Amino acid sequence: MSWTQFSLILIFLSGFSLSALPTQSRFTTILKTGTGEYPIGFHMEILTLTPDNHLKFEEVRKSNLFAESKSLSPNFGFTKNVYWVRFELQNESKVRDWFIHVSYPLLDKIEFYEWNDQTWKEIITGDSYVFSQRPLEEKSFIFPIKLGSQKNNKYYFRFESEGTVQFPITVYSHERFLKLKEKENLSLGIYYGILFVLVIYNLILLFMLRDLGYLYYLLYISFYGLSQSVLNGLAFQIFWPNSPHWANISLPFVGGFSLFWGLQFTRSFLSTKKNTPTWDKIIFVLMGLMLFLMLSSFIFSYYVNIYLLASLVILFALSVFLVAVVCWDKGYKPARYFLIAWVALLFGVGIYSLKGFGILPANIVTEYGLQAGSAIEMCLLSLGLAYKIKLTNSEKNRAERRMASYKVKLQDAQLVSSRLEVELLKNNIHPHFLLNSINATIIWLDEDPETAKQLLTALSDELRAILKLTNKKTISVNEEISICKRYLEIMSLRKESKFEFKTEGISAKDLIPPIVLLTLVENGLTHGYQGKNSGTFTLKKKKDKNKTKYILFNDGLPTTKSDSLGTGIKYIKSRLQEAFPNKWDFSSKMVTGGWENTITLME
């Protein structure tokens, strides 16, 4: 065989081989022993198609329009374009089992093609399909492959989504993938553990303090945590694996609800209605937009809603940041904590939103920055809320102390006023009482000199005792009884009647404010003995645990309106408060056979 013939045979065999195998990829990732993780971003080709360009897989394989990937984690933002990806793996290790991992969980539709035994194996999945349709039931997309040692193979992906289109693809060995999942589960466990602890902690405070700020905060972090679980695919995996339609619309709905309560919490925490009314109205309008987003989730396409959600998230973060700055500038102290907490969330929201619009690449910082920022923000907000409650309580305590001081001063002023009023009354009553007594004496000087003499003596003793005792806080009950007896003696002489004062169980150590019993006796005599020429006043003492009761009974029945609300009773109450602050009680009522006044003193 000549060399020319041999060359023709080789060319013929090569051509046969090329026609039998799939189109070669320009880049090949070599899988080696000891390395279990291979990002494919720079080792793949991408074909971009418009939504109306429906190429079949066979047509795509033959296309020469594939372009080299310029990103480690391709991210095209919000787009309706369809993207095909192809790459090749060559296994130079002894490991046969590998995983191709697409780590973005919100892709609507993924088609995966693997060359297997002279045919192409197809897998269709995505969050538009029930969760059980995935090759592995994981929150992101895992495609197990088997690749023998020293073998190579080609792989194709088709990505389509109404939301952000990004496809960070990594190839893992089985061992490396398990370690990755362990770290990821630990990170998510810490994040959701923090949220759970914050929910329980603030729920307890809500029931203890009954402050609506804690309710708004609870609703905010609860729905925020739920929206994060939608973003990372956990909600679809755990809560609604058989509801792909709800899985698609849940993010704008739950996200809008979370932002709604976040704005309400902001209004409550920063007291915007009081501190900055203009911003309060702006926030109120934003809350209306969040409700519109929730309603829109059920009406418009996911593409429209997710774009609206991303826009509102940025608007929400900036508005809350600015209103916090305004409140801080106005001297509202809790705004400092709020602002510091919000900076952490702003960072996470900013990088995540920029990733969503395709401005920043998808990586661990942009993917999990939002969760890290939100965890820090929620912890700081919880501390800030506690500080605000403490500050509010401190101001409330100061106000209560001022009010208590004011009440004491007011009470003292009322006491002085009552005493002055009573003293003025006494100054009017005593001359009247004195003149009547002197007139009676003048009459009796001619008719009954002895009675006149007794009247003058009793009158003199009575006035001397009153002037001597009225400036004291308390006197012995016996001294007060003596004044009452002299008064009844005078009135008996004046009215030619017989009035008596009796006691039961009274001790010499008992104390009482001066002229209190005398005022009750005067009241009783004035209103209870019209047309009568005799009467008895009886003072009894009763001990009941830590209370001492003085009960003054008279057998006169009032025929005119009692002085229960008059100056005399005001005088009694003011003197009791002065002598026994808040440790007394007074009552006056009609009983069988007469009238009863009760003074209760508490130990």
Side-chain angles (χ1 to χ4, degrees):
M1 181 182 294
S2 67
W3 176 253
T4 303
Q5 291 174 325
F6 180 74
S7 299
L8 289 172
I9 292 171
L10 286 177
I11 293 171
F12 174 76
L13 291 174
S14 298
F16 176 79
S17 175
L18 288 173
S19 63
L21 293 175
T23 306
Q24 290 284 341
S25 172
R26 283 187 237 169
F27 297 95
T28 300
T29 299
I30 299 175
L31 309 179
K32 298 179 180 180
T33 302
T35 304
E37 180 176 347
Y38 300 89
I40 305 299
F42 292 119
H43 302 279
M44 63 183 179
E45 297 172 302
I46 301 173
L47 172 63
T48 304
L49 299 176
T50 57
D52 56 350
N53 193 348
H54 303 288
L55 290 183
K56 295 181 180 180
F57 174 59
E58 290 299 327
E59 295 174 304
V60 168
R61 284 180 52 226
K62 297 175 183 178
S63 173
N64 58 359
L65 297 178
F66 276 90
E68 176 185 348
S69 171
K70 303 294 184 181
S71 172
L72 181 65
S73 180
N75 179 13
F76 297 94
F78 297 103
T79 177
K80 292 186 177 182
N81 289 338
V82 175
Y83 296 88
W84 284 89
V85 170
R86 71 183 180 187
F87 57 90
E88 183 176 353
L89 300 178
Q90 181 174 328
N91 188 8
E92 294 186 359
S93 71
K94 295 181 181 180
V95 178
R96 289 177 52 86
D97 295 322
W98 297 86
F99 294 107
I100 300 177
H101 182 206
V102 181
S103 60
Y104 185 61
L106 299 182
L107 292 166
D108 291 346
K109 185 176 181 180
I110 301 175
E111 295 177 17
F112 174 66
Y113 297 89
E114 175 187 11
W115 179 254
N116 187 10
D117 296 331
Q118 305 302 314
T119 185
W120 287 96
K121 176 184 175 182
E122 179 186 22
I123 297 175
I124 299 177
T125 185
D127 68 358
S128 294
Y129 301 90
V130 293
F131 200 82
S132 59
Q133 193 165 327
R134 302 189 179 195
L136 289 180
E137 293 195 5
E138 290 283 343
K139 63 183 185 63
S140 51
F141 303 102
I142 312 296
F143 301 89
I145 62 172
K146 290 186 182 292
L147 188 59
S149 180
Q150 304 305 317
K151 299 290 184 179
N152 65 339
N153 206 351
K154 288 99 181 152
Y155 304 92
Y156 283 81
F157 277 101
R158 180 185 184 274
F159 298 106
E160 181 181 0
S161 186
E162 288 190 327
T164 300
V165 178
Q166 54 181 286
F167 34 88
I169 302 175
T170 308
V171 176
Y172 292 101
S173 66
H174 186 269
E175 181 181 1
R176 178 62 178 164
F177 180 74
L178 291 179
K179 290 181 179 179
L180 174 71
K181 291 303 297 180
E182 184 180 353
K183 291 181 180 179
E184 185 180 38
N185 290 337
L186 177 61
S187 300
L188 291 175
I190 292 173
Y191 177 74
Y192 289 106
I194 291 172
L195 291 189
F196 180 75
V197 169
L198 287 174
V199 167
I200 297 301
Y201 171 69
N202 287 281
L203 185 63
I204 293 172
L205 291 179
L206 172 63
F207 284 111
M208 290 177 60
L209 302 177
R210 306 287 181 178
D211 188 282
L212 281 178
Y214 283 101
L215 176 60
Y216 302 143
Y217 180 69
L218 274 173
L219 291 169
Y220 168 54
I221 63 174
S222 298
F223 283 100
Y224 190 90
L226 183 59
S227 67
Q228 288 299 304
S229 71
V230 174
L231 277 173
N232 57 38
L234 279 175
F236 190 22
Q237 181 182 5
I238 298 172
F239 300 123
W240 42 79
N242 297 316
S243 302
H245 175 69
W246 171 246
N248 271 278
I249 68 173
S250 60
L251 182 57
F253 180 85
V254 176
F257 207 34
S258 169
L259 298 179
F260 175 86
W261 289 114
L263 290 169
Q264 179 59 31
F265 172 70
T266 300
R267 294 182 69 219
S268 172
F269 188 97
L270 297 178
S271 300
T272 54
K273 194 172 184 179
K274 175 184 177 183
N275 294 321
T276 171
T278 301
W279 272 105
D280 183 71
K281 294 176 182 177
I282 294 173
I283 291 177
F284 199 75
V285 171
L286 283 176
M287 291 174 68
L289 290 176
M290 300 308 171
L291 293 177
F292 172 77
L293 172 62
M294 294 168 62
L295 180 63
S296 172
S297 302
F298 299 96
I299 300 174
F300 300 109
S301 69
Y302 180 77
Y303 178 81
V304 172
N305 291 323
I306 202 66
Y307 205 97
L308 181 59
L309 173 62
S311 303
L312 288 178
V313 164
I314 295 177
L315 192 60
F316 162 81
L318 290 176
S319 299
V320 171
F321 177 78
L322 291 175
V323 74
V325 171
V326 171
C327 290
W328 189 8
D329 184 60
K330 290 188 175 184
Y332 187 63
K333 291 182 179 180
R336 293 179 299 176
Y337 289 86
F338 190 90
L339 190 58
I340 294 170
W342 217 256
V343 167
L345 182 64
L346 265 180
F347 177 77
V349 167
I351 62 175
Y352 189 84
S353 297
L354 291 175
K355 183 205 72 169
F357 284 108
I359 299 172
L360 292 179
N363 52 46
I364 190 170
V365 175
T366 56
E367 191 68 33
Y368 293 102
L370 180 57
Q371 293 182 353
S374 65
I376 296 171
E377 178 246 5
M378 289 177 184
C379 291
L380 291 176
L381 280 183
S382 184
L383 293 175
L385 191 56
Y387 171 76
K388 182 193 175 187
I389 297 298
K390 179 181 177 182
L391 188 65
T392 302
N393 288 338
S394 177
E395 293 175 351
K396 182 180 177 181
N397 290 336
R398 284 197 295 269
E400 287 177 348
R401 286 196 294 270
R402 288 195 297 268
M403 182 60 69
S405 175
Y406 169 76
K407 285 182 178 180
V408 169
K409 292 178 181 178
L410 179 62
Q411 195 174 55
D412 290 342
Q414 289 174 336
L415 181 63
V416 171
S417 175
S418 296
R419 291 191 63 181
L420 288 174
E421 185 179 359
V422 171
E423 292 303 324
L424 287 173
L425 178 66
K426 291 291 182 183
N427 289 336
N428 289 324
I429 290 176
H430 290 161
H432 180 72
F433 165 70
L434 180 62
L435 287 173
N436 286 340
S437 299
I438 290 173
N439 287 334
T441 304
I442 293 172
I443 295 173
W444 287 331
L445 280 173
D446 294 329
E447 298 179 359
D448 190 350
E450 186 61 28
T451 300
K453 181 180 178 181
Q454 292 177 6
L455 180 60
L456 285 173
T457 302
L459 182 61
S460 175
D461 292 341
E462 176 77 353
L463 294 176
R464 190 181 298 111
I466 291 174
L467 292 173
K468 179 181 177 182
L469 299 176
T470 49
N471 290 326
K472 294 183 178 181
K473 277 192 176 183
T474 58
I475 61 174
S476 69
V477 175
N478 287 335
E479 288 180 287
E480 180 78 2
I481 291 172
S482 298
I483 295 173
C484 291
K485 286 182 177 180
R486 279 193 293 269
Y487 173 77
L488 290 177
E489 181 182 352
I490 293 169
M491 297 307 293
S492 296
L493 290 170
R494 277 182 49 190
K495 295 187 176 185
E496 298 182 12
S497 304
K498 185 178 182 181
F499 296 105
E500 295 180 291
F501 195 98
K502 298 180 180 180
T503 61
E504 295 181 16
I506 301 300
S507 169
K509 297 181 180 180
D510 294 335
L511 298 176
I512 200 167
I515 318 302
V516 168
L517 295 179
L518 176 61
T519 302
L520 293 174
V521 170
E522 288 178 348
N523 237 15
L525 196 65
T526 301
H527 299 290
Y529 293 94
Q530 297 295 328
K532 296 183 179 180
N533 57 7
S534 65
T536 302
F537 290 82
T538 304
L539 179 65
K540 297 180 181 180
K541 174 186 173 183
K542 287 186 178 181
K543 188 75 174 178
D544 182 16
K545 294 182 180 179
N546 61 339
K547 296 180 181 180
T548 302
K549 293 184 178 182
Y550 295 97
I551 302 171
L552 180 62
F553 171 81
N554 69 77
D555 57 0
L557 295 174
T559 57
T560 60
K561 185 179 180 181
S562 171
D563 192 31
S564 61
L565 297 176
T567 306
I569 300 303
K570 286 183 181 179
Y571 172 80
I572 292 170
K573 291 182 176 180
S574 67
R575 295 309 300 262
L576 287 170
Q577 177 63 21
E578 180 184 23
F580 311 101
N582 301 319
K583 292 185 177 181
W584 61 273
D585 188 41
F586 174 78
S587 62
S588 183
K589 61 182 179 179
M590 183 183 294
V591 294
T592 304
W595 195 269
E596 185 177 272
N597 299 285
T598 303
I599 296 174
T600 303
L601 303 179
M602 291 162 274
E603 297 177 2

